[in-house]
Structure formats: structure tokens, C-alpha cells
């Protein structure tokens, strides 16, 4: 599994990286090292991903490989509905995936990446990445 790179700030920084990769591909350079990137527009958005409860869930999934959301809730000693909500948000942004979940089947949470690499640039005065500190 690759590591997910997380950035905060304006999309133009991410767009420049994309343009560089397209140019490299056109010049037949090897792109096997492609690292997936998730960009947040503000520190407040990033803070939702990095909440202690979400990090605890990610760690529990990594360490125990639970077979269901209910088992995950038990591992972190939290209410099923809250854990389901948090895991659904993590799935929406692509940090976890679910396996199974058909009629009468439990949904097994799986990590989509083997780690998170966070790139937080110091914003210049003309960039607005929100006022909440990480």
C-alpha cells in the first residue's frame, strides 16, 4: 500500500505538481513512484481527519484488523453510531475502504494506505487556509 500525502492550501500548488507529472510522463520518465495526494482547503478540514477519535480508529484498524464496524466500536469503547459516522467520513475522503456489507453482512473497515504523510506549508499572507490551527 502506498502512503497518502495530505496537503493544506490552495489547489494551484497541487495543480503544479500534476502539470510536472504530466510533463514527466510525456518525456517517458518512470512514474511508478506516484504518491496519492489528498488536499484540504483549510486547517479546519484537516483537523477533522486528524481528530484524536479518527486517529484512534485508524490505529485500531491497523493493529486489530476488525471484521466489522461493531467490532471496531468495541475496540475503541465507543458507541456504534458514532464510529459508523466517523468511518463513513473516512471512507468519503478515501482513507479507508469497506469490504463486504451486502444484505445481512458486516462491513469490514480496511485501511486504504499504509500511512499518512502530512505536508503543511507556511501560508503566505495572501493565501487563506483558514484560521483554525492544526
Amino acid at each position: 500500500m502506498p502512503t497518502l500525502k495530505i496537503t493544506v492550501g490552495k489547489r494551484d500548488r497541487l495543480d503544479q505538481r500534476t502539470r510536472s507529472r504530466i510533463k514527466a510522463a510525456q518525456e517517458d520518465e518512470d512514474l511508478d513512484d506516484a504518491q496519492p495526494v489528498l488536499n484540504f482547503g483549510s486547517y479546519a478540514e484537516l483537523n477533522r481527519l486528524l481528530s484524536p477519535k479518527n486517529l484512534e480508529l485508524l490505529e485500531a484498524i491497523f493493529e486489530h484488523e476488525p471484521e466489522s464496524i461493531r467490532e471496531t466500536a468495541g475496540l475503541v469503547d465507543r458507541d456504534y453510531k458514532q464510529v459508523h459516522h466517523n468511518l463513513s467520513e473516512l471512507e468519503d475522503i478515501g482513507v479507508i475502504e469497506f469490504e463486504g456489507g451486502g444484505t445481512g453482512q458486516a462491513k469490514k473497515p480496511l485501511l486504504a494506505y499504509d500511512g499518512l504523510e502530512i505536508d503543511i506549508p507556511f501560508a503566505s499572507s495572501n493565501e487563506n487556509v483558514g484560521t483554525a490551527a492544526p
Side-chain angles (χ1 to χ4, degrees):
M1 280 190 290
T3 299
L4 176 64
K5 183 173 185 171
I6 297 174
T7 62
V8 177
K10 291 186 176 181
R11 296 228 18 119
D12 55 346
R13 223 179 98 188
L14 189 57
D15 292 342
Q16 178 56 41
R17 183 176 187 270
T18 302
R19 283 191 292 276
S20 297
R21 295 193 56 75
I22 290 170
K23 182 179 177 195
Q26 290 171 338
E27 295 173 359
D28 293 326
E29 292 181 23
D30 186 18
L31 298 177
D32 287 339
D33 67 336
Q35 182 180 30
V37 176
L38 175 62
N39 185 67
F40 289 98
S42 69
Y43 292 132
E45 291 176 21
L46 174 64
N47 193 42
R48 283 184 49 209
L49 169 66
L50 296 180
S51 74
K53 291 184 185 232
N54 281 350
L55 293 175
E56 180 183 36
L57 287 171
L58 294 172
E59 187 174 293
I61 294 167
F62 174 76
E63 289 180 1
H64 302 285
E65 298 180 4
E67 294 294 320
S68 67
I69 296 172
R70 189 165 308 284
E71 183 180 343
T72 307
L75 289 169
V76 296
D77 195 30
R78 290 181 44 214
D79 178 69
Y80 171 85
K81 287 182 182 181
Q82 287 294 322
V83 170
H84 184 278
H85 176 76
N86 290 130
L87 291 178
S88 294
E89 285 184 332
L90 291 170
E91 179 191 33
D92 287 345
I93 61 173
V95 176
I96 70 162
E97 302 168 340
F98 286 112
E99 181 180 89
T103 306
Q105 289 185 325
K107 289 183 1 179
K108 178 179 181 173
L110 302 168
L111 296 177
Y113 303 97
D114 63 5
L116 302 175
E117 175 185 316
I118 301 173
D119 178 15
I120 301 177
F122 294 110
S124 65
S125 60
N126 63 353
E127 288 186 24
N128 181 12
V129 292
T131 57

